[in-house]
Amino acid sequence: MAPRMRLKLRTVFVLYFLVSVMGLLYALMQLGQRCDCAEHDQPYERTISRLRGELHKLQENMKKSEPTAPTIYVITPTYARLVQKAELTRLSHTLLHVPQLHWILVEDALQKSTLVSNLLRTSGLSYTHLHMPTAAQRKLHEGDPNWLKARGVEQRNEGLRWLREDRRAAAGGGGEQGVVYFADDDNTYSLQLFQEMRNTLKVSVWPVGLVGAMKYESPLVQGGKVIGFHTGWKPSRPFPMDMAGFAVSLRLILAKPDACFDADAPIGFLEGSFLQKLVTMDELEPRADDCTKVLVWHTRTEKPKMSTEKAMQAQGLGSDPTWEV
Ligand code: UDP
Ligand code: MN
């Protein structure tokens, strides 16, 4: 009796052991496997899809109820030179931070360049690429002092022409909400500046730093009105302000189709040649805390020296000419 009993106990133990091992193996095999029971997922997926639907509805409602902010149209003249790509890269990175903005980049050239086309295409910005060469007799020559002739004039006018044609068509002839700003490719712009100009009724104005051989030039404001200008040269000029110091509402640009920059205006009179046709001094809208904050700087980029490059070229060791810099 006793040996059989022992045998039975051993069998029970072995069976118990085998069943436990198999159970463990089965549990291990199930780990990491996708659950194929669809009914388990359903409530979760249904909730997600319901929430998505609600989010979509909310977004649609927000779009309908929120008045869209006026678009800022930035017109930039640009020309081919060694620092062009660096300037445009920096400016495009500033503009990327500004919501609801359209960049109108106008090349001073007979045709659009590959460099600018590629830069715009990969910029992530909403843009229009134009070109307009400066008339030969108005072009600055190597060594000319930079105050001799105004630069970027025909290009800014080309930007205005595009706006008047394209935006008028888009707005069905009516005045679309928008603001136009002339931004040279080498200046420095605070993001705050774009907030200041966004709601411009006619023409908004503010100080410009590092311009006119002064720390800043600025409209002088009293009781919320512009009463004069802080500038070192001919303060009696019509609108003695730098190009970077004002923005114009798109509605006003469309309402005054003949207002443009006079390419033959003496230097210092260019901004006035345009603004005179749009507003009176009394109508100017001071921004940047009643024109007490500098949010844009008329910085200028040093022309890079190429003496070593030339010396190396003479020895046949110049930089690869196929590189885009
Ligand atoms: N510009 C241009 N063609 C030129 C020279 C300048 O289109 O032959 C552009 C330039 O890229 C800039 C604007 O016109 O956006 C003003 O030029 P610049 O910065 O040289 O003028 P400044 O700083 O002396 O006022
Ligand atoms: Mn400049």
Side-chain angles (χ1 to χ4, degrees), residues 1-227:
M1 272 311 271
R4 269 179 73 188
M5 180 84 161
R6 237 186 333 215
L7 195 72
K8 257 195 184 162
L9 268 175
R10 199 195 287 154
T11 316
V12 168
F13 178 74
V14 168
L15 273 174
Y16 172 76
F17 179 75
L18 281 175
V19 168
S20 312
V21 167
M22 274 161 63
L24 191 65
L25 276 176
Y26 179 76
L28 281 173
M29 274 160 64
Q30 292 302 308
L31 272 181
Q33 296 239 352
R34 284 188 63 215
C35 175
D36 57 355
C37 7
E39 69 272 16
H40 280 219
D41 289 343
Q42 261 184 11
Y44 170 72
E45 297 217 322
R46 232 184 281 145
T47 313
I48 292 275
S49 124
R50 187 172 50 80
L51 286 174
R52 268 211 195 108
E54 270 167 29
L55 182 65
H56 181 73
K57 255 188 255 160
L58 276 173
Q59 282 171 336
E60 289 298 302
N61 283 347
M62 270 170 71
K63 261 190 228 158
K64 266 183 238 153
S65 59
E66 229 179 51
T68 45
T71 301
I72 297 176
Y73 294 91
V74 173
I75 299 181
T76 301
T78 188
Y79 70 112
R81 66 227 195 254
L82 278 166
V83 297
Q84 185 183 31
K85 193 175 183 183
E87 305 281 34
L88 294 178
T89 299
R90 186 179 45 216
L91 177 55
S92 70
H93 289 183
T94 298
L95 301 183
L96 273 174
H97 290 286
V98 185
Q100 196 82 6
L101 179 142
H102 187 81
W103 195 16
I104 304 168
L105 190 54
V106 193
E107 285 196 71
D108 181 353
L110 284 164
Q111 55 194 27
K112 296 178 194 173
S113 67
T114 331
L115 186 151
V116 175
S117 304
N118 288 341
L119 190 133
L120 281 173
R121 192 169 35 76
T122 55
S123 68
L125 286 161
S126 156
Y127 66 86
T128 296
H129 186 184
L130 305 171
H131 70 101
M132 174 58 69
T134 300
Q137 75 275 12
R138 301 209 344 91
K139 195 105 185 137
L140 271 182
H141 297 289
E142 187 80 26
D144 279 352
N146 71 350
W147 44 262
L148 203 62
K149 291 171 190 149
R151 291 159 295 277
V153 185
E154 283 102 320
Q155 293 72 34
R156 295 187 191 100
N157 285 339
E158 172 62 6
L160 286 171
R161 183 205 58 77
W162 179 84
L163 264 178
R164 284 176 174 134
E165 275 181 24
D166 187 87
R167 288 299 92 192
R168 192 187 298 281
E176 187 202 330
Q177 285 234 334
V179 185
V180 183
Y181 181 56
F182 301 95
D184 288 355
D185 61 3
D186 56 343
N187 292 342
T188 306
Y189 307 90
S190 154
L191 298 181
Q192 175 70 30
L193 180 72
F194 298 94
Q195 293 179 31
E196 298 287 331
M197 73 174 75
R198 178 96 54 192
N199 293 301
T200 297
L201 295 174
K202 286 188 166 181
V203 175
S204 53
V205 292
W206 48 80
V208 177
L210 315 176
V211 71
M214 292 175 74
K215 279 172 80 176
Y216 64 87
E217 285 185 348
S218 176
L220 298 166
V221 178
Q222 216 171 64
K225 292 269 178 202
V226 175
I227 52 141

Side-chain angles (χ1 to χ4, degrees), residues 308-321:
T308 306
E309 184 68 60
K310 279 183 188 143
M312 299 271 288
Q313 275 171 5
Q315 300 170 55
L317 296 170
S319 302
D320 188 335

